[in-house]
Amino acid sequence: MSPPGSSNSDSEVPAGVPSEERSEVLAGRGDTPLDTAVWRLRSRGCWKDAAELLTPYAGDDASAALKRSVVLIERCMYTSTGWDAAEDALRAAEALALTDAERGATACERGYLAYASTLLSVRDRADEARTALGRAAALLAPGSPTRPLLDFRRGLISQHLAHNPTGAQAAFQRAHAGAAAHGDVLLTSFTWRHLAAMAEEEGNLPQARHGFAESLRIREELGYLVGIAPALAALADVETDPEEAERMRTEAGRLVRLLGGVPVWLADQLGHTEPPLDGHRP
C-alpha cells in the first residue's frame, strides 16, 4: 500500500536532461554546476569537501550559507562529529536570513541539529528542537517547498523524542505527499523508510518490506551512497529469505567499511567500529 501522494520518480525528470545528471535532478540538487558538485560529494560522505566548495559563497549569500549548514549538519547525523563546525555554519546562515522563507529554513535546520544532538546522546536539546521547528512552522508559507522537510522532522520528534506514533505517522504521511508534490525524491526515500518502520512495529511486514524496498530503490537510483547501507539493513530485518537477508547485511557492512565506518550508528549495529573518516572517497 503506497502512502498518500506517492509518485513515479521517473516522471519527475525534465525532458532533455543528460543522463549523467539524472541523479542530481531527481535529488533536487542539480540546479547549477556547484550544486551538482556539492551533491556528488555529499552523497559519498565527503561533507567537509562539499562544505569547502560552498565556503567562498557562504559569506554573503544566504542560500549558499544555508546549503553549507545543511551539509555540515548531515555530517553530524552520520558521523556524530563536527558539531562545532555545524553550529558555526548555522549561526552564519541565521545571520544572513532576511525573509520569512529564509528564516524558516534556518529554523528547520536549527531544529534538526538539536534533534541530532539529542538522538545521538551528545547533549539533550529536545526542547530547543521542538521550539525551533515550531518557529519554522510559523514562518514558512503553507506551500513552501521546505514544508515537507519540516513535516518530516516534526515526525522524527514525535517518533523518537515524544514517543507518539500516531502523531509521527500523520507527519510522515504529510511529508511524503508534500515531497512527491514538490519533486523532492531524496526526501521520499526517508519518508518511505520511516513509514515502513512504523508498519514493521505494527506487525504489517508486507507493507514494511514494500516501503523499505522503495527507499532502497530511490537511494540506489540517486547514487546516495551514504544512505544505501541503512536501507539495506532495514530491508534485511523484514526479509523472509534468510540467505537474502544475510546477503543484504553483508553488503551493508561492506559499504560501511568502504565509507570508513559511516554511518557510525549502523557501524555499531553491524559490529564495524572503524573511526569515521570525514572526506573519505569511496
Side-chain angles (χ1 to χ4, degrees), residues 143-187:
S144 167
T146 308
R147 273 275 170 184
L149 181 61
L150 172 62
D151 285 332
F152 174 69
R153 288 172 175 176
R154 297 183 92 174
L156 294 176
I157 295 287
S158 293
Q159 183 181 28
H160 295 298
L161 303 188
H163 306 292
N164 175 7
T166 301
Q169 186 168 39
F172 291 146
Q173 287 174 339
R174 287 195 304 273
H176 189 91
H182 286 282
D184 190 340
V185 184
L186 179 61
L187 180 56

Side-chain angles (χ1 to χ4, degrees), residues 84-121:
D84 289 343
E87 186 68 42
D88 290 345
L90 183 53
R91 284 176 182 161
E94 289 168 337
L96 289 172
L98 299 177
T99 67
D100 283 351
E102 290 169 347
R103 288 194 292 267
T106 57
C108 188
E109 294 306 318
R110 168 66 60 192
Y112 189 53
L113 179 60
Y115 163 78
S117 176
T118 306
L119 185 72
L120 298 177
S121 301

